[in-house]
Amino acid sequence: MSGQSLLVPGELSPTRSVPGNIRRPEYVGKPAPTPYTGPEVQTPETVEAMRVAGRIAARAMAEAAKLISPGVTTDELDRVAHEYMCDHGAYPSTLGYRGFPKSLCTSVNEVICHGIPDSTVLRDGDIVNLDVTAYIGGVHGDNNATYLVGDVDEESRLLVERTRESLERAIKAVKPGRQINIIGRVIESYAKRFGYGVVRDFTGHGINSSFHSGLIIPHYDSPHATTVIQPGMTFTIEPMLTLGTHEYDMWDDGWTVVTKDRKRTAQFEHTLVVTDSGAEILTLP
């Protein structure tokens, strides 16, 4: 594995502004969102709105990813994604969610998820996950991907490639009538072939007008994930695989989650709607 030094917190830039004409999610300015009480199966109208939100989120992530190279700060990636979403009439869902201060998450190397963009400079050989969610038309679209920074060692490159593959395999396993735990079973069985850890405490989730509806999508074979998959359900799958343990520590910022052994980790995510025969990805650019 790369001999890079471990990540340390950087300096935060001022909060970015969002034009006043852009609709805010209800949780902005509040300590926490109002609990979702609606259905997990969505109407065709809601799904169509989520296609719009998902497309904007995917394109915002792609625009930010174009800048990824040694010497670029994670704050600069945040700026690009923020401006893209605002320019297209969308609110960056993470901005103000439970107090999160930025418009996307940037998780570098040993950071499992929820890294806060700051003055951290990307280095040759790093890997970095961008997690972007857009809110428009009253709904959210959520996606993430892990990118290579410059010349990355083979072990890290394979981790990234195989984490992407685990997501693709999980999406193919989504069928009406199956239980949610088929998703985690497929991911975990694939990850075990390579000795990877599968993060258990951070999961996929239901998504619609709510950023996190309450539906949980584990990435391991959980005996409790017995909810039956139905057409019209909308949720994310976002496996987090590690080169070592699945256990974690959290930084004092209350957000940044790092592997307990500080080995590298990768993640990929799409928002899906269940169809009569499988799943449609809503976060395609």
Side-chain angles (χ1 to χ4, degrees):
M1 191 181 74
S2 169
Q4 301 276 48
S5 57
L6 297 177
L7 197 68
V8 296
E11 296 294 322
L12 287 180
S13 65
T15 302
R16 303 189 198 282
S17 62
V18 177
N21 63 317
I22 292 178
R23 178 179 173 184
R24 272 75 170 152
E26 59 83 24
Y27 53 74
V28 174
K30 295 165 55 177
T34 302
Y36 179 72
T37 57
E40 297 298 345
V41 172
Q42 304 304 309
T43 65
E45 292 76 17
T46 297
V47 172
E48 182 54 38
M50 290 180 67
R51 284 193 186 94
V52 174
R55 190 176 306 123
I56 291 173
R59 290 176 176 172
M61 184 173 72
E63 285 300 307
K66 289 178 183 177
L67 271 70
I68 292 174
S69 62
V72 173
T73 66
T74 55
D75 187 66
E76 181 68 2
L77 304 178
D78 181 79
R79 181 190 65 78
V80 171
H82 176 94
E83 291 179 358
Y84 186 93
M85 285 185 273
C86 291
D87 288 348
H88 291 81
Y91 185 92
S93 300
T94 61
L95 185 61
Y97 179 79
R98 297 184 182 271
F100 192 84
K102 293 296 176 180
S103 298
L104 81 164
C105 301
T106 50
S107 300
V108 180
N109 294 343
E110 70 271 16
V111 179
I112 294 171
C113 57
H114 304 158
I116 300 175
D118 58 19
S119 61
T120 296
V121 176
L122 296 176
R123 302 161 298 180
D124 186 59
D126 283 343
I127 60 174
V128 58
N129 178 274
L130 305 186
D131 193 338
V132 181
T133 310
Y135 178 79
I136 188 172
V139 297
H140 300 268
D142 185 3
N143 68 162
N144 77 53
T146 303
Y147 299 89
L148 310 181
V149 184
D151 185 16
V152 175
D153 68 275
E154 182 74 355
E155 186 178 39
S156 299
R157 187 188 65 76
L158 286 172
L159 173 69
V160 171
E161 179 182 302
R162 290 163 176 167
T163 305
R164 181 192 295 111
E165 174 69 15
S166 76
L167 172 60
E168 293 173 357
R169 288 173 179 240
I171 291 171
K172 290 176 182 175
V174 174
K175 304 286 184 186
R178 291 179 170 177
Q179 295 181 343
I180 289 291
N181 57 16
I182 186 65
I183 295 168
R185 189 176 308 139
V186 166
I187 292 168
E188 186 174 40
S189 63
Y190 180 70
K192 279 184 173 180
R193 287 167 50 182
F194 311 103
Y196 295 153
V198 181
V199 172
R200 302 168 77 90
D201 293 273
F202 300 90
T203 68
H205 52 90
I207 184 170
N208 38 67
S209 60
S210 173
F211 195 171
H212 301 88
S213 72
L215 177 66
I216 302 298
I217 311 294
H219 302 121
Y220 64 98
D221 187 4
S222 169
H224 306 294
T226 56
T227 300
V228 175
I229 299 170
Q230 302 176 60
M233 292 176 91
T234 50
F235 52 81
T236 72
I237 303 176
E238 45 188 296
M240 292 153 262
L241 305 187
T242 71
L243 289 176
T245 183
H246 68 268
E247 296 181 347
Y248 68 93
D249 294 320
M250 187 175 288
W251 282 5
D252 291 342
D253 61 21
W255 284 105
T256 307
V257 179
V258 296
T259 54
K260 187 170 281 291
D261 57 12
R262 303 303 189 265
K263 291 186 177 180
R264 288 188 169 188
T265 175
Q267 182 183 19
F268 284 84
E269 173 187 24
H270 276 305
T271 295
L272 313 171
V273 60
V274 181
T275 67
D276 288 338
S277 58
E280 175 193 347
I281 299 172
L282 299 178
T283 39
L284 292 175

